[in-house]
Amino acid sequence: MSVREGLADPPIRTSAAPRRGREGIYMARRIAVSVIGSFRKHYDEAKKAAFVFDRANLAVLSPPVSSIVNHGADFVRFETDLPAMSDRDIQDATFEKLFRSDAIYVVAPDGYIGNTTNYELGRLHGRGIPIYFSDVPRDFPVHVDDSQVVTPDELTELILSGQVVAHRPRKKALVSADVVVLTIREHRLHVLLVRRGKEPFKGRLALPGGFLRADDETLEMTALRELAEETALAGFHPKLMDLGVYSRPFRDPRGRVITKAYAAIAPDLPEPVASTDAQSADWVEVEDSLAARLAFDHGSILNEALERTRRSLYRSPIALEFCAPEFTLSQLQSVFEIVGRAKLETSNFRRRMLNPDSSFITAVGKTALIPSGRPPALYTRRADLPAKKRTTPSLAAA
């Protein structure tokens, strides 16, 4: 079985101070090496090779320095593998390490490498990563030159003398934009979601979004276009706030897709109407289990947007984005309680909101129209806020 590991690096992976190579070449970073092979048969040999590389101050990304916990199984698992991870998850995590390596060393005593190592070499072939072997491999369809058969010490010499250089092709990636739109409906926090009409994740809930298209289109324009195409919110021209970039490998089964996420908040938004590739569109109440039901990594994006919005409630005017241009203190308090998920003491809240040194609001000078009783005063966003408080900050900095 081949090398694999959990998401956490084993102890020998810790960084070390840069040093001079044997030929006097100063190394700005540690060269990364991974060792693969049939660990069901040759894990001891793999650990010995890894020790040689680590002793030379090379970064050994794989294999883990650990113990096999399922001897005899087709897919070897180590103590460092997280129990909750499937075999596929572990293999994907390992490939992330292999693809980041500057060189691959294949432990192949008597030429045996095994089926899984053959599969790994097939995925590594063509990526420009130098591959070396302890012995000439048997049943390997690609020609192996004599110069590729070396001992761990010989490979270390080649690396430290600068003779091993990886020429990797550039990785092409698609770019997309996704939007988290939040509003309050019927005294509950809601998020705008679409139900996908296409694979992947056909029928699953997802955030509105899509791929960058035109040459002159910015990602902000992509986000607004996709929002309009998939949900058709009439008259909605949101102010987008940055959430961040999401680039985790394998986040999209269609290939390498990097997405820029935005957040938008507004009050009294209309019902959405699905169009283009969306099967349906709707406002969905935000609750704890919602994120787990979303397609791609949209659950993580939603959770990040919610967490940053809640953290920003008292240090920015973000709560005002949920309000109409004019509002009462009771309406504003309701926003804080719904978004922050905590009941507030009214007198303390009023005192804090009306403190001229910290408040984001000011009285309008008129009252709200109500059927009976004393009409409450109306407030609006202060026009004289200090520069750092004048606008809702980027959520990426929250």
Side-chain angles (χ1 to χ4, degrees):
M1 185 59 211
S2 178
V3 53
R4 297 131 41 284
E5 57 201 322
L7 292 177
D9 286 340
I12 68 168
R13 314 302 181 233
T14 54
S15 59
R19 69 171 195 172
R20 292 188 178 274
R22 296 182 184 180
E23 301 300 319
I25 300 173
Y26 187 82
M27 298 187 296
R29 67 171 181 85
R30 298 174 72 189
I31 302 297
V33 181
S34 287
V35 183
I36 65 175
S38 174
F39 289 167
R40 188 173 55 184
K41 293 178 176 290
H42 305 131
Y43 184 52
D44 287 341
E45 287 84 350
K47 287 195 295 185
K48 290 175 183 177
F51 175 76
V52 171
F53 300 137
D54 184 67
R55 184 179 58 192
N57 202 41
L58 303 177
V60 183
L61 301 185
S62 197
V65 178
S66 183
S67 300
I68 296 174
V69 296
N70 60 340
H71 292 278
D74 290 336
F75 192 88
V76 173
R77 297 182 71 105
F78 294 94
E79 286 183 347
T80 50
D81 292 331
L82 300 177
M85 295 180 69
S86 67
D87 292 350
R88 177 62 180 273
D89 291 337
I90 294 171
Q91 192 168 57
D92 286 345
T94 298
F95 272 117
E96 291 184 37
K97 302 286 186 179
L98 299 184
F99 294 155
R100 293 194 347 245
S101 300
D102 296 293
I104 303 291
Y105 188 70
V106 185
V107 173
D110 300 321
Y112 181 82
I113 57 176
N115 292 333
T116 303
T117 305
N118 248 317
Y119 168 70
E120 290 177 331
L121 289 172
R123 290 194 61 181
L124 290 165
H125 182 67
R127 287 178 172 264
I129 305 174
I131 301 174
Y132 295 86
F133 299 81
S134 65
D135 291 88
V136 178
R138 294 184 276 113
D139 301 324
F140 184 55
V142 180
H143 171 71
V144 175
D145 191 80
D146 289 343
S147 63
Q148 292 177 262
V149 181
V150 295
T151 66
D153 287 304
E154 289 170 340
L155 179 55
T156 298
E157 287 285 351
L158 291 173
I159 292 173
L160 295 180
S161 63
Q163 298 182 55
V164 175
V165 181
H167 300 284
R168 303 179 186 173
R170 294 179 179 178
K171 179 67 176 177
K172 293 183 179 180
L174 296 173
V175 181
S176 64
D178 295 300
V179 191
V180 179
V181 183
L182 298 174
T183 194
I184 293 176
R185 299 168 64 87
E186 299 178 352
H187 303 288
R188 297 284 189 275
L189 183 62
H190 285 69
V191 60
L192 180 61
L193 296 177
V194 299
R195 192 171 298 278
R196 290 184 56 81
K198 295 181 179 179
E199 295 292 354
F201 303 110
K202 183 178 180 180
R204 290 273 296 276
L205 293 173
L207 297 172
F211 291 109
L212 180 74
R213 288 185 187 171
D215 291 339
D216 60 348
E217 187 175 68
T218 66
L219 284 173
E220 290 86 351
M221 294 165 63
T222 300
L224 293 173
R225 173 180 54 75
E226 289 288 342
L227 185 61
E229 289 178 355
E230 293 188 339
T231 66
L233 285 177
F236 182 42
H237 305 288
K239 176 175 61 179
L240 297 180
M241 296 172 283
D242 289 343
L243 272 179
V245 174
Y246 292 77
S247 61
R248 181 177 60 82
F250 312 113
R251 60 175 299 275
D252 190 317
R254 292 170 292 189
R256 191 66 192 271
V257 178
I258 298 171
T259 196
K260 179 69 177 294
Y262 297 93
I265 301 170
D268 303 322
L269 291 175
E271 291 293 336
V273 178
S275 57
T276 64
D277 58 352
Q279 192 179 94
S280 62
D282 203 357
W283 292 107
V284 179
E285 183 179 343
V286 174
E287 41 86 16
D288 292 341
S289 65
L290 176 60
R293 306 201 305 269
L294 301 189
F296 306 103
D297 56 354
H298 290 183
S300 298
I301 297 174
L302 172 60
N303 283 338
E304 189 75 12
L306 294 171
E307 179 60 27
R308 293 182 183 183
T309 301
R310 287 163 180 151
R311 289 205 308 263
S312 299
L313 277 177
Y314 286 99
R315 61 189 191 193
S316 82
I318 197 168
L320 306 185
E321 304 296 328
F322 290 96
C323 299
E326 296 180 355
F327 49 86
T328 67
L329 281 180
S330 294
Q331 291 170 335
L332 183 59
Q333 181 175 340
S334 178
V335 168
F336 274 79
E337 292 177 339
I338 292 169
V339 177
R341 300 184 298 183
K343 188 70 176 176
L344 302 177
E345 204 283 315
T346 300
S347 60
N348 288 338
F349 177 80
R350 292 177 61 89
R351 189 180 306 113
R352 182 165 186 170
M353 290 298 105
L354 298 179
N355 184 338
D357 295 327
S358 60
S359 179
F360 300 117
I361 64 175
T362 187
V364 175
K366 58 184 180 180
T367 58
L369 298 177
I370 59 174
S372 62
R374 182 179 178 181
L378 288 172
Y379 293 83
T380 190
R381 180 192 298 260
R382 280 176 56 184
D384 60 340
L385 286 177
K388 66 178 181 179
K389 294 182 179 180
R390 189 172 299 130
T391 58
T392 303
S394 162
L395 289 181

